[in-house]
Amino acid sequence: MKITKIVPRLIWSALIVSILGACGGGENNVTIGNRESVLHWGNGDEPQELDPHIITGVPEHHLMIALLEGLVLKDPTTLEPIPGVAESWTISEDGTVYTFKIRDNAKWSNGDPLTAEDFRWSWERSLLPALGNQYSYMAFPIKNAQAFSTGELTDFSQVGVKVLDKLTLEVTLNNPTPYFLQLLDHYSMFPVHRATIEKHGEPGERGTRWTRVGSFVGNGPFILKQWDLNKVLIVEKSPTYWDRDTVKLNGIHFHPTQNITTEERMFRAGQLHYTNVVPPEKILNYRENNPESLHVSPYLGTYFYRINTRVKHLSDARVRKALALSIDRKSLVKNVTKAGEIPAYTFTPPNTLGYTANLSESFNPEKARALLAEAGYPGGQGFPATEILYNTHEGHRKLAVAIQQMWKKELNVEITLLNQDWKVYLDTETSGNYEISRAGWIGDYVDPNTFLDLWLKDGGNNRTGWSNEEYERLVFQEAPQAKTQEARYEAFRKAEQILLDEMPIILVYTYVSKHLVHPSVKGLPGNLMDYPSYKNMYLSDESQSGLQ
Amino acid sequence: MLRFILSRLLQAVPVLLVVITVTFFLIHSVPGGPFSADRAVAPAVMKALNAQYKLDLPVWQQYTSYVGDLLTGDLGPSFKYPGRSVNEMIYAGLPNTVELGFYAMLVAVCIGVVAGVIAALKPNTKQDYIPMSLAMIGICMPSFLLGPLLVLVCGIWMDWLPVSGWGDIPGDKILPALTLGSAYAAYIARLSRGGMLEVMSQDYIRTARAKGLSEWVVVLKHGLRGGLIPVTAFLGPAFAGLLSGSFVVETIFQIPGLGRFYVQAAFNRDYTMIMGTTIFFSTAIIFFNLFSDVLATWLDPKLRQQFQGGK
């Protein structure tokens, strides 16, 4: 039969082609990238979308700051607001009216001029209830923005955003909001190109094709060139960007590196300049053998445990304090997490734009035992079995096991562990069906407010059932109306003291950001928000040694 | 034969319908929705999102609406990737998964058949024990161990082959194909050894030898055809398994295939994506099972006669 001859031939041809394909090769991405000024960036996950008013994640954030730009940028080291599309701004004496002067050479990538109206329209779109923008609250300091986003108000002209002339935008706030300029660098406040969006659908429609290659029009330092699903997203230097002379990179390849072990191997093989994270088990090795590639810096986030204060035995602050005091955080970061995390004694990470709360008490097992006895559980007797809930992850498990052991050793209480898949865990935690639950909070902007407004009574992110009237007064009334930054911080300090005294949460550590960075990458100073500034980054050809 | 194929295809319809229905109601009963997030989603935003994806309707209405769209070939929009339709994502990932599956199958068949035949020619000797022990190791070693091992040795220590990618760097398809194919190669080695052992003791093989044919001709021309029937029966389900089980290999080697979407969709509660990929893989399994049955029939003269007699 003929087929018996054809099949083996086909098989052999395919084999030969595959084997021949193996020959050649040689240069890796890093070598080629350094020569051509193209950065290979491990970006964590496949981006959901490129619509700044829809997306929610860090990988998307990286793409957005390459493709779009807001009125204000952040200094890559200090994170202080610096001019972006707005070349300057003035703030009224009472701190509620901001007037932005947009630069006349700011352009969209298709050559259209960028105007104040572009911002007004974009912010209106980002607040449209139908769009379902999960970060619409970034605009809530603006007068009437919240009412518009919930549909209570339908006339956007009543929202505090006014176009004074082609290049002047006036924004009126509800209250003085010292961190308002920082919010303008969040992607949900970025401008979008009206004509492109309207060409592909309604402004409030999700998932239209305006974000595709060939359609996307941006105003950032780079333009979208190629997007291969789950493979790579390529951007190239924009010829229309106002500050194009500063941009040194010719392009960036964003690789969706979901598996952190694979990402680390790609880095070692010279496929990536930068990794999104570092596998915890590799940190020690890099620290000893390749310290110049390991970048670890403090990160604006706190790892903690929520305590459900609606559960009877956990409703007693003495019990919660006893649990907190019997955790040896220094030992946890040294022996369990091992990446240089900082033991947390305040909820707001220390030195958040000059703010540091009074430290809560550190490891004190004797006091913990006394408090537990005072609460009616001497020597842990009669203490109900309590469960720690965490989302399935090896790091969370290790930490929970260590804390379980500490509580057993110091307080003689029985703790069980329950891990759940991420979405189930969220469901359990939100519905209040837990006792103690692991959590993390990353600040949206560098200001204590992003940490302290979490504990609003019935706030969606509180989930502990805890509330305190004085706390709410300090955070939501006294701080916003404070005349000076010092007075404002003092109000926050008092509020945080209440939080740490009542302990509806147990602090564990302050996060650090961890990346592997090839020595050829320059202009990437670590900062508290782990915020890369691609326009200031460049590749130096000097360090070609590789990292084999 | 045609009637056989048609009846099998007809049987597939209720099977698929059951798969669709069970999967649909199962995923909707699992806690956690597609839009639940670490940061609380404002009620107004959640309402808008649910309305956009019809999640505000009763589940049975969502089901009928989904099946209605499905009949027109529309698998719906992905919940996790708002700008993409499920059809588009399957279309983007499938060629890579099929290509990976094809190469893996090639590796599996080439290594498996050769090892199996060599072992069967001299049973219970070193020539049998060595390939069969290797096959046992191949079966036992999961791809999440073999993949990184191959990467470490061939990619990082020896610097022979790329450690990741798909079609970017010459040779980047070799390690994934080897990783995915090796477990199947081991199965095929054991199956072909068994098949060959049985066939080589048959009368017609003795006749062939008596005719004075060389051992090579006896094995390759007369032995293999009968000896490989168990292997062909295995190939269909194996290929379906290669497609749907490529998740680990796709993740290890950064391959933009369908397997990654399949597993991630479940974690993300991306309902339409879970449905789309499940339907797709179920169809593939049904199809490849049918294909291997037809192939086995064509190879086996006894079965072929049955069908010809039944005409």
Side-chain angles (χ1 to χ4, degrees), chain A residues 156-386:
Chain A
F156 192 74
S157 68
Q158 292 185 41
V159 178
V161 183
K162 202 187 281 177
V163 174
L164 297 185
D165 64 46
K166 197 180 158 203
L167 296 177
T168 315
L169 186 75
E170 185 187 87
V171 183
T172 309
L173 310 183
N174 294 313
N175 286 307
T177 310
Y179 56 89
F180 178 66
L181 286 174
Q182 289 196 48
L183 304 182
L184 299 178
D185 191 34
H186 189 271
Y187 46 77
S188 75
M189 303 296 277
F190 281 174
V192 285
H193 191 251
R194 180 174 184 171
T196 307
I197 291 180
E198 290 183 337
K199 191 176 150 195
H200 289 91
E202 294 295 318
E205 201 177 335
R206 287 170 74 87
T208 64
R209 299 178 73 87
W210 79 269
T211 53
R212 296 303 174 86
V213 177
S215 303
F216 191 93
V217 175
N219 71 324
F222 295 90
I223 51 172
L224 179 63
K225 198 69 194 168
Q226 191 180 329
W227 185 4
D228 295 336
L229 205 61
N230 246 345
K231 190 170 182 181
V232 70
L233 189 147
I234 300 174
V235 300
E236 280 182 0
K237 183 177 172 175
S238 167
T240 59
Y241 179 57
W242 66 270
D243 196 15
R244 55 191 169 276
D245 294 341
T246 305
V247 183
K248 294 184 188 71
L249 292 174
N250 288 325
I252 310 171
H253 289 215
F254 291 95
H255 299 265
T257 46
Q258 207 197 18
N259 183 295
I260 59 172
T261 321
T262 305
E263 188 188 43
E264 190 270 336
R265 280 197 296 265
M266 287 172 75
F267 179 79
R268 261 196 286 170
Q271 305 287 76
L272 293 176
H273 281 107
Y274 172 98
T275 67
N276 187 47
V277 281
V278 188
E281 67 278 8
K282 297 275 183 187
I283 287 177
L284 197 62
N285 187 294
Y286 273 96
R287 192 164 279 152
E288 282 172 4
N289 303 318
N290 220 332
E292 69 280 7
S293 299
L294 182 68
H295 285 214
V296 176
S297 29
Y299 188 40
L300 191 67
T302 305
Y303 189 103
F304 63 100
Y305 278 3
R306 279 191 173 91
I307 302 183
N308 190 348
T309 59
R310 289 158 291 205
V311 174
K312 197 172 166 241
H313 65 286
L314 299 174
S315 64
D316 188 335
R318 289 169 299 186
V319 171
R320 302 197 294 262
K321 261 193 153 166
L323 292 172
L325 287 172
S326 48
I327 293 179
D328 185 354
R329 293 166 184 79
K330 281 184 188 153
S331 164
L332 288 178
V333 298
K334 188 178 165 216
N335 302 312
V336 184
T337 60
K338 295 183 190 172
E341 289 84 356
I342 305 149
Y345 300 104
T346 57
F347 183 57
T348 311
N351 203 17
T352 299
L353 214 66
Y355 168 86
T356 301
N358 300 326
L359 303 188
S360 61
E361 283 179 83
S362 56
F363 182 53
N364 189 345
E366 273 175 35
K367 189 172 176 190
R369 280 190 286 271
L371 279 168
L372 199 67
E374 214 177 285
Y377 308 106
Q381 277 179 355
F383 193 82
T386 307

Side-chain angles (χ1 to χ4, degrees), chain B residues 201-253:
Chain B
S201 59
Q202 299 278 325
D203 289 347
Y204 70 89
I205 295 291
R206 201 180 311 143
T207 313
R209 283 192 178 126
K211 275 202 301 190
L213 293 176
S214 74
E215 190 61 17
W216 276 111
V217 177
V218 172
V219 171
L220 294 179
K221 196 171 176 190
H222 300 280
L224 269 186
R225 185 157 175 176
L228 291 189
I229 288 173
V231 175
T232 53
F234 173 69
L235 286 185
F239 196 68
L242 281 172
L243 292 186
S244 55
S246 58
F247 163 70
V248 174
V249 174
E250 285 181 12
T251 307
I252 294 172
F253 293 98

Side-chain angles (χ1 to χ4, degrees), chain A residues 21-22 48-49 129-130 204 206-207 212 227 229-231 256 258 262 265-266 271 421 423-424 442 444 460-461 463, chain B residues 33-34 36 38-40 48-49 52 82-84 88 151 164 166 168-171 174 251-252 254 261 264 267 269:
Chain A
Q48 285 174 285
E49 242 295 9
R206 287 170 74 87
R212 296 303 174 86
W227 185 4
L229 205 61
N230 246 345
K231 190 170 182 181
Q258 207 197 18
T262 305
R265 280 197 296 265
M266 287 172 75
Q271 305 287 76
D421 152 58
K423 293 274 184 179
V424 182
I442 311 295
D444 287 328
N461 291 312
R463 301 173 199 167
Chain B
S36 51
D38 194 13
R39 287 170 187 231
L49 290 171
Q52 282 230 4
R84 308 266 178 188
E88 186 189 350
V151 167
S164 69
W166 191 250
D168 304 323
I169 307 166
I174 294 177
T251 307
I252 294 172
Q254 284 281 112
F261 290 143
Q264 284 162 24
F267 289 121
R269 303 288 188 275

